Amino acid sequence: MTAVTRARDAVERRLLTTVLGLPEGLQRRLAGRPVVLDGDTLATDLQLMLRLKRVARLPAVETLPIDKARAATRHEAAQAGGDLPIGEVRDLTVAGLPARLYVPTSSTGGSNGASTGASDPLLVFFHGGGFFVGDIDTHDAPCRLIAERAGVRVLSVEYHQGPEHPFPAAHDDAERAYHWVVDHARELGADPERLGVGGDSAGGNLAAATAIHAARTGLPCRLQLLVYPLTDARHGARAGSEEFLSMRLFDEGFFLSRLFMDRASESYVADEAHLDDPRFSVMLADLPEGLAPAYLCTAGFDPLRDEGEAYADLLEKAGVTVTRRRFDGLIHSFFNVTGAGRSGPAAVAEIADAVRAGLH
């Protein structure tokens, strides 16, 4: 990255932070008339953020070649993520996959719990991005916030993505990574009895599938953190059924678009039959006994809202303890908006508190 690029990025980040930090009344004047759909009002700061993106005429990630789409995703995440404090960050390799360990300032285990005899809870985290964009860098900020606020170690793990590596590559990677963590928990400074798995969007899908795998194979898992997870690869549009209402209401203009979701499927799914594989469409899975308690949150203006909440219903019917939360007024991707505005940081802080409650 050149000095000119770094300077430009710094100016853009400062502008976004400044504008989204304005008083609510002034933000409303800049954002325009309130957007109300399905009885919910879009958060003013996020409405303004979406308007700024339209004014800047930034191309949608889903319209770009794969290399540029990934670069644009990293850039957008860096602009909205902020520079958040953390006790320690270490890059490492987990089951042959790139990973990053976040150690909170409050850690009792130091750099390596195995050497001190102390250990912390640990959340294995899988990033979102539609199985074709996103990496540990795009989700650096929310992982920092969760680790530091919840007082847990967070291990963010990358996985193979489409189109280079179609289904079930990412799901296989997630399972292998979780097995590795269970076997090496002490080396990570983690308590093997206080492990959890989490993710957002596509990563939420991987987390849900991994939690199911853990229950079936007897691996310890105390919490599954599911942030607006993809739970049905067909989004409810199966034979004899209609797609979820949120998929029709919010599939354009609220960050996650129908075009993005179509490209995600095209990139990751080589065979349409895989859309009905219960590892991918966890709504179709036979839920085993011993499935970890879930914290499942959705966003009010997210196409994936209804399928996430339908999965929460299924978990509850299967006897799983579920804490469910709909963040009214928020959009898909709020999880990455931790360094600007008020609604995103507040929501992720609440999620971090749920992680603390679930793993401590």
Side-chain angles (χ1 to χ4, degrees):
M1 182 183 294
T2 67
V4 173
T5 300
R6 285 195 297 271
R8 182 196 64 203
D9 289 351
V11 170
E12 290 179 3
R13 181 185 292 185
R14 191 176 305 116
L15 176 62
L16 181 66
T17 302
T18 300
V19 173
L20 296 192
L22 293 172
E24 168 80 15
L26 186 52
Q27 281 190 10
R28 171 53 61 203
R29 292 174 61 185
L30 294 172
R33 183 175 300 176
V35 176
V36 181
L37 276 174
D38 200 24
D40 193 6
T41 302
L42 182 62
T44 308
D45 57 347
L46 296 180
Q47 182 182 343
L48 180 54
M49 185 180 73
L50 293 171
R51 186 170 193 179
L52 290 173
K53 184 172 181 175
R54 289 195 299 271
V55 169
R57 298 181 182 274
L58 296 176
V61 165
E62 56 267 31
T63 66
L64 299 172
I66 192 67
D67 57 337
K68 292 184 177 179
R70 289 168 177 166
T73 300
R74 285 191 292 270
H75 176 74
E76 290 183 359
Q79 298 304 97
D83 186 13
L84 304 181
I86 187 66
E88 180 189 357
V89 175
R90 275 192 282 150
D91 288 328
L92 61 157
T93 301
V94 168
L97 303 166
R100 184 170 295 161
L101 179 65
Y102 299 86
V103 182
T105 304
S106 61
S107 172
T108 61
S111 291
N112 191 329
S115 64
T116 65
S119 58
D120 301 311
L122 183 141
L123 178 75
V124 180
F125 183 84
F126 300 112
H127 65 80
F131 299 105
F132 75 101
V133 296
D135 53 31
I136 54 178
D137 288 329
T138 61
H139 286 65
D140 181 77
C143 286
R144 285 170 177 257
L145 193 156
I146 288 177
E148 192 70 3
R149 185 177 177 99
V152 306
R153 294 183 179 224
V154 175
L155 182 67
S156 181
V157 183
E158 284 192 14
Y159 48 87
H160 290 94
Q161 302 189 94
E164 300 93 337
H165 304 278
F167 177 85
H171 290 76
D172 290 345
D173 284 348
E175 289 183 7
R176 284 193 302 113
Y178 199 77
H179 276 273
W180 189 96
V181 169
V182 171
D183 292 340
H184 296 83
R186 293 294 184 189
E187 298 169 31
L188 297 169
D191 179 351
E193 297 304 317
R194 292 189 292 167
L195 301 177
V197 63
D200 68 308
S201 194
N205 176 271
L206 294 176
T210 301
I212 292 171
H213 175 76
R216 285 177 178 158
T217 55
L219 296 177
C221 186
R222 184 175 280 194
L223 172 72
Q224 49 178 320
L225 170 69
L226 310 179
V227 179
Y228 40 69
L230 164 68
T231 63
D232 184 346
R234 294 187 189 273
H235 309 299
R238 298 178 185 276
S241 64
E242 296 183 1
E243 64 183 2
F244 295 108
L245 175 63
S246 62
M247 189 61 57
R248 300 196 301 274
L249 288 178
F250 309 117
D251 67 350
E252 188 62 45
F254 302 104
F255 188 80
L256 180 61
S257 68
R258 173 77 67 169
L259 182 60
F260 184 99
M261 291 181 282
D262 288 345
R263 183 168 182 189
S265 292
E266 292 166 3
S267 297
Y268 187 52
V269 180
D271 183 343
E272 187 177 352
H274 290 156
L275 296 174
D276 298 318
D277 191 304
R279 290 173 296 173
F280 192 8
S281 290
V282 291
M283 290 278 291
L284 303 179
D286 292 326
L287 300 179
E289 293 185 4
L291 196 55
Y295 176 88
L296 192 155
C297 64
T298 59
F301 281 75
D302 182 0
L304 300 186
R305 183 195 70 190
D306 290 356
E307 66 185 76
E309 294 176 358
Y311 188 60
D313 292 340
L314 285 180
L315 290 173
E316 289 177 336
K317 288 177 183 177
V320 179
T321 299
V322 180
T323 300
R324 53 201 299 168
R325 174 75 158 96
R326 179 190 291 187
F327 287 102
D328 293 329
L330 302 198
I331 60 174
H332 196 90
S333 85
F334 77 74
F335 188 69
N336 294 86
V337 187
T338 54
R342 289 176 283 274
S343 58
V348 182
E350 186 175 323
I351 291 170
D353 291 343
V355 172
R356 171 182 284 277
L359 290 181
H360 274 280

